[in-house]
Amino acid sequence: MSHTATAAAGATSGAYVWIGRALSSLVALFLLFDGAIKLIPLQVVIDTVIPLGWPTDAATWRALGVVLIASALLNVYPRTALQGAILITAYLGGAVATHVRVGSPLFSHVLFGVYIGIARWAGLWLRDPRIRALLR
């Protein structure tokens, strides 16, 4: 590989890493916020889950908040990022299934978890060359 091609690949790789970090950070902040409002749990959480058929007791929402925060933190730490991404994907799958079950609007509610999941995996793919190699 020529020096110019190597430098261009390094620059692209560096850009990938920073874009991946930014995307991963945005997703992590959203998930940490979502988990935190479940820990309290804020009344908006309870009001939102009633039409979805979920229980309204605080213990359920605190447990889900802990699961979400733990998964998001695992995903932020490079050594456990893959495990965190898998756990977040599973969590978001439950959210998608819930919205499908109650007949929520497709693009705004049902697919919202898919959008977050795509952003989560795109961030990980961009920032980690091992994941790029694995998913090729």
Side-chain angles (χ1 to χ4, degrees), residues 78-92:
R79 286 187 157 218
T80 57
L82 179 61
Q83 292 86 345
I86 292 168
L87 290 172
I88 290 166
T89 302
Y91 184 94
L92 294 171

Side-chain angles (χ1 to χ4, degrees), residues 32-42 45 58-59 61-67 69:
L32 291 170
F33 171 76
D34 190 38
I37 66 172
K38 287 173 175 57
L39 284 179
I40 297 172
L42 292 178
V45 172
W61 296 102
R62 285 190 181 108
L64 286 172
V66 167
V67 167
I69 290 170

